[in-house]
Amino acid sequence: MRSVRKAPGELDEERLVRLVAKGDRAAFEELYRRTAPWMAVRLRGRCADEQIVAEVMQETYLAVWRAAGAFAGASVGGSAVGWLWTIAARRLVDAFRRRAHHAEPPPAAAPADAAPGAEEEVLAATVGGDVGDALRCLAPELRQVLQALVLDGLSVRETSVLLGLPEGTVKTRARRARIAMRRALA
């Protein structure tokens, strides 16, 4: 029986990543075409500095090209889009840390929209069960701080720069968020 090869535009993102792992440039270009627009919007929601966003985008897709073979995919409950965002979020944290060591910290993040963003929807899909329910019940300002500190691994200083808040406010909100999470999970 003959195998029929689909065009990259007809494949899902997971299959595209698998083809990228084999060095398929057309699959990489299609993956970039599909994911780069939302990735840029999501990064801009966390960082208003276009230079950092551009650097993170470049580093993310370079990492995807180099490490596509390490993608475990659905076999471990993951998705290609989630894998891409994990790489991008880590690169963004790295960029903030690099900038924190220089004289001028990165500009504060863009203000959050009133409507739930794609990031919150992905968070809801990845953090499920009682923890996800408790996280979604937090006030938005507490959830933002907890997400930056715990899920993104930022320091208090980096979180304060990202959210445009004093470090003391970040610490207070983190404490309040943890107390609320403990109560909700008890």
Side-chain angles (χ1 to χ4, degrees), residues 42-49 52 89 92-93 96 105-112 119 144-145 147-149 152-167 170:
R42 216 165 159 199
L43 288 168
R44 284 185 194 109
R46 296 225 163 214
C47 177
D49 186 329
I52 291 176
L92 184 59
V93 169
F96 283 160
E119 183 172 312
Q144 272 185 324
V145 168
Q147 184 175 348
L149 289 171
D152 293 342
L154 296 177
S155 69
V156 169
R157 180 169 185 243
E158 292 163 339
T159 300
S160 106
V161 170
L162 176 70
L163 300 176
L165 300 169
E167 288 183 31
V170 170

Side-chain angles (χ1 to χ4, degrees), residues 38-99:
W38 69 260
M39 178 85 65
V41 167
R42 216 165 159 199
L43 288 168
R44 284 185 194 109
R46 296 225 163 214
C47 177
D49 186 329
E50 284 296 322
Q51 183 180 355
I52 291 176
V53 170
E55 288 172 12
V56 169
M57 291 282 293
Q58 183 175 10
E59 291 173 11
T60 298
Y61 286 99
L62 181 59
V64 167
W65 178 256
R66 289 180 175 167
F71 173 62
S75 64
V76 294
S79 70
V81 172
W83 182 68
L84 284 168
W85 176 246
T86 300
I87 293 170
R90 288 180 180 161
R91 295 299 185 269
L92 184 59
V93 169
D94 292 344
F96 283 160
R97 287 183 177 151
R98 281 192 306 268
R99 292 283 172 113

